[in-house]
Amino acid sequence: QVQLVESGGGLVQPGGSLRLSCAASGFMFSMYAMIWYRQAPGKERELVAGITSDGGSTNYADSVKGRFTISRDNAKNTVYLQMNSLRPEDTAVYYCRGRWALIGMDYWGKGTLVTVSS
């Protein structure tokens, strides 16, 4: 059974940090690019950060560059999102996605809520 389970969300004050994790099971994690998305209330889902299957390349939304870092541990089938200098506008449900474009496979987690507020 394929699963992507996000964790690490919660309430944090502006300027604080959180590390999100996404644990994968049921598929060949090391073959998949992994992407973090977020969806704020009343807004569309947006890409936050992505990482290639081997971890050799990453990309970020302009709004999080220099504050967020995506990484992965293929031995643990887990992808991370380190979020620093958090702002109220980072408040959203954060989702991870696994994508193997070559074979058209695509999996999503159910999300974890991040709230940035004083």
Side-chain angles (χ1 to χ4, degrees), residues 46-92:
E46 63 173 351
L47 185 148
V48 175
I51 188 167
T52 52
S53 58
D54 65 356
S57 182
T58 58
N59 67 288
Y60 297 90
D62 287 343
S63 59
V64 307
K65 280 181 182 176
R67 300 188 298 123
F68 290 12
T69 303
I70 188 172
S71 62
R72 66 189 294 159
D73 185 339
N74 284 352
K76 295 183 178 180
N77 287 0
T78 302
V79 62
Y80 305 97
L81 186 67
Q82 178 66 43
M83 306 187 295
N84 299 329
S85 302
L86 283 161
R87 304 167 180 169
E89 55 263 39
D90 295 318
T91 295

